[in-house]
């Protein structure tokens, strides 16, 4: 079964509230087998909309990533990000 990448592009509008989201989201992601590959580091925007925070996490499968997103723990964390950010989030299967 192929692994999957959870890719988020984020513009933070309330750093304090978003910090609470990030603190709670990490354990929820790890509980579903997610491992961070990038989390807000340096980047170069070559095309499209620029969002200063970019996060990539690898999950054991696309299904586990979606299960994480829908989990009570992640949804509780996400409540802090709503209104504190503008986000695009997708999950993409990796090539085997």
């Amino acid at each position: 079964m192929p692994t999957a990448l959870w890719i988020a592009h984020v513009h933070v509008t309330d750093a304090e509230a978003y910090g609470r989201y990030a603190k709670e989201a990490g354990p929820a992601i790890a509980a579903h087998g997610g491992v961070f590959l990038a989390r807000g580091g340096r980047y170069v925007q070559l095309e499209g909309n620029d969002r200063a925070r970019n996060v990539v996490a690898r999950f054991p499968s696309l299904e586990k990533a979606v299960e994480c997103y829908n989990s009570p723990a992640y949804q509780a964390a996400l409540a802090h990000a709503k209104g504190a950010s503008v986000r695009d989030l997708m999950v993409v299967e990796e090539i085997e």
Side-chain angles (χ1 to χ4, degrees):
M1 177 179 291
T3 56
L5 298 176
W6 165 306
I7 304 169
H9 303 288
V10 184
H11 171 69
V12 176
T13 57
D14 180 339
E16 185 178 325
Y18 199 82
R20 288 191 298 272
Y21 157 76
K23 184 177 180 180
E24 292 181 25
I29 288 169
H32 289 85
V35 176
F36 288 104
L37 304 178
R39 197 171 189 189
R42 293 178 55 201
Y43 73 99
V44 175
Q45 184 72 33
L46 298 175
E47 292 187 23
N49 297 318
D50 185 26
R51 303 262 172 95
R53 184 167 177 82
N54 299 285
V55 179
V56 180
R58 176 174 287 127
F59 282 82
S61 68
L62 186 135
E63 291 78 13
K64 289 298 271 184
V66 172
E67 178 183 299
C68 175
Y69 182 85
N70 291 318
S71 71
Y74 185 78
Q75 288 298 308
L78 186 58
H80 297 292
K82 293 187 177 184
S85 62
V86 177
R87 303 164 17 115
D88 292 317
L89 175 64
M90 70 184 78
V91 178
V92 179
E93 258 185 351
E94 290 190 271
I95 301 171
E96 287 192 87

